[in-house]
Amino acid sequence: MVPFFNLGSLNATIQSRIEEAMLRVARSGRYILGPEVEAFEAEWAAYCGTRFCVGTGNALDAMELILKAYGIGPGHEVIVASNTYIATWLAVSNVGAVPVPVEPDPETYNLDPSKVEAAITTRTSAILVVHLYGRCAEMDALQQIALQRGLLLLEDAAQAHGSSFRGRKAGNLSHAAAFSFYPSKNLGALGDAGAVTTNNQELAETVRRMRNYGGVGRLDHRIRGKNSRLDEMQAAILRAKLPHLDGWNALRRMRADFYHEYLEDSGLVLPPKDEEHRESNHHLFVVRADNRPRYLRALVDLGMDTHIHYPEPPHLEGAYADLGYGAGSFPIAEKLAASVFSLPIGYPDVNVLEVSKALSNA
Ligand SMILES: *Cc1c(COP(=O)(O)O)cnc(C)c1O
């Protein structure tokens, strides 16, 4: 079986740097909130172009910490995409607020700004937008709406490491953003890790406290926090990998260009191409077909592992049964969930030509 995410093969290309980083931490005697975390935070902020970065345990925590630090909780509503990964919704409900889904543009898969206005109520505090599959959302229009309606604009940038919009990087397109460094992301740790990026000093300081029981070091617990720290080992590994992120993203872009070329007449609906003002990191290359099983079978016949991002929209998951939505509540998200599937794009030995041929002959 050819794995979809061949993470070992990607990490093997810089194996010695990763091992050197791990040994450095193992021998240092500092394992939590030390110099590696501090250095990675500075390097990730510089990469994203933000003033601040605060490491966290994962992206779900990062989103929850942002919402909490802004005082969002019970009685508040937060606008989310109807077709995102469930984590975006969970962040909102885990702080006691209500996720209010808005449908995506069926061509770009990203939140449709023209549908956002109608979802805003007196309880709406924020728009938590996801850059789905690594392609930045319609940030001009969303910034406009947020500004006019006095809402916070926040990014779930968990899939958007290095993606850009009008020359600015994801993570620097809103009041605050959450990143995931889960192993399969474009910049992945060898375990769980995440971060918050922002230009707001007060928010950065509050999140910094909240990720560590509400205190600085072991002292001065002036707010109630949780334990969600980025640890030294993962920070050191991320520092070893960060210099390679742009190169890996360029390889993904090349594979995406080949898919566009080879699959032009395949009958599959392909994702939108990059535009002058919007460059994707091509985290996932997601295509659509009404007769999806036929294509998935062609990939399986090739010995490939197949993936669907995502087979069920959050409103139809048991976890959100209490919100009272059902089949037909968000038809665009439902149609996408029934027709999308992902092509391998992220690791060195993916054979774009072979995959494209198999799909074209399916
Ligand atoms: C991966 C992912 C998350 C969750 O990241 P964790 O670090 O696992 O918490 C959230 N949102 C999106 C869109 C993701 O792809």
Side-chain angles (χ1 to χ4, degrees):
M1 176 76 87
V2 181
F4 185 86
F5 300 110
N6 198 345
L7 299 173
S9 76
L10 183 65
N11 290 326
T13 61
I14 56 160
Q15 185 75 14
S16 61
R17 284 168 197 272
I18 291 176
E19 287 174 1
E20 181 193 42
M22 294 173 79
L23 263 181
R24 185 172 74 235
V25 174
R27 290 170 178 163
S28 72
R30 291 288 297 274
Y31 307 117
I32 297 282
L33 296 185
E36 300 286 347
V37 169
E38 229 169 83
F40 176 70
E41 288 175 339
E43 287 161 15
W44 188 242
Y47 181 84
C48 295
T50 56
R51 290 179 64 204
F52 306 101
C53 167
V54 183
T56 62
N58 55 65
L60 178 58
D61 283 351
M63 286 190 277
E64 288 180 33
L65 289 168
I66 292 169
L67 294 170
K68 275 202 169 157
Y70 274 123
I72 296 173
H76 295 242
E77 293 175 359
V78 176
I79 290 174
V80 293
S82 58
N83 64 322
T84 182
Y85 180 51
I86 197 168
T88 322
W89 288 41
L90 288 172
V92 176
S93 27
N94 285 353
V95 301
V98 178
V100 175
V102 168
E103 290 268 68
D105 176 330
E107 304 301 316
T108 67
Y109 313 129
N110 269 329
L111 194 60
D112 183 346
S114 73
K115 298 200 170 115
V116 169
E117 287 276 359
I120 297 174
T121 73
T122 52
R123 292 176 299 281
T124 310
S125 303
I127 302 168
L128 174 50
V129 65
V130 61
H131 305 303
L132 203 64
Y133 311 143
R135 185 178 190 275
C136 287
E138 297 302 326
M139 299 310 284
D140 285 341
L142 292 172
Q143 277 159 2
Q144 188 79 12
I145 294 168
L147 198 66
Q148 277 170 359
R149 305 298 298 260
L151 305 177
L152 287 165
L153 181 59
L154 308 170
E155 296 161 81
D156 176 346
Q159 302 188 346
H161 317 73
S163 303
S164 65
F165 183 83
R166 296 205 192 287
R168 283 168 68 171
K169 290 252 166 63
N172 187 24
L173 298 169
S174 68
H175 292 98
F179 282 95
S180 170
F181 305 109
Y182 181 82
S184 65
K185 308 294 184 181
N186 288 39
L187 179 62
L190 303 192
D192 276 309
V196 170
T197 55
T198 182
N199 292 307
N200 180 333
Q201 181 162 15
E202 195 185 330
L203 178 82
E205 279 169 11
T206 307
V207 169
R208 199 174 291 285
R209 282 179 174 276
M210 283 177 42
R211 73 165 176 193
N212 189 36
Y213 305 111
V216 176
R218 293 198 189 90
L219 303 168
D220 190 17
H221 299 93
R222 64 179 79 156
I223 51 175
R224 290 180 194 165
K226 64 190 289 177
N227 174 358
S228 182
R229 299 172 298 224
L230 171 61
D231 67 52
E232 286 285 286
M233 189 69 83
Q234 300 304 342
I237 291 163
L238 290 168
R239 292 185 69 203
K241 295 181 76 172
L242 177 54
H244 302 273
L245 174 59
D246 284 343
W248 288 330
N249 282 352
L251 289 172
R252 286 172 181 263
R253 195 173 316 123
M254 204 177 70
R255 294 181 198 117
D257 288 345
F258 279 126
Y259 274 134
H260 272 285
E261 191 182 324
Y262 297 153
L263 294 172
E264 199 178 357
D265 302 317
S266 63
L268 293 168
V269 180
L270 304 179
K273 290 184 179 172
D274 278 354
E275 297 154 281
E276 177 137 31
H277 67 288
R278 184 178 357 230
E279 190 172 87
S280 174
N281 70 353
H282 300 283
H283 173 59
L284 294 168
F285 193 90
V286 175
V287 300
R288 266 191 297 143
D290 290 332
N291 43 5
R292 176 170 68 190
R294 202 174 84 199
Y295 291 100
L296 293 182
R297 218 170 308 121
L299 293 177
V300 170
D301 288 346
L302 207 58
M304 297 218 28
D305 188 12
T306 61
H307 278 257
I308 294 172
H309 300 89
Y310 299 90
E312 194 88 276
H315 73 276
L316 296 181
E317 298 261 31
Y320 285 103
D322 62 323
L323 292 184
Y325 300 119
S329 295
F330 299 98
I332 299 176
E334 290 166 27
K335 187 169 186 326
L336 291 175
S339 56
V340 294
F341 62 103
S342 306
L343 307 187
I345 193 164
Y347 57 91
D349 44 345
V350 45
N351 190 331
V352 173
L353 183 58
E354 188 184 45
V355 171
S356 301
K357 272 188 185 156
L359 292 171
S360 298
N361 296 329

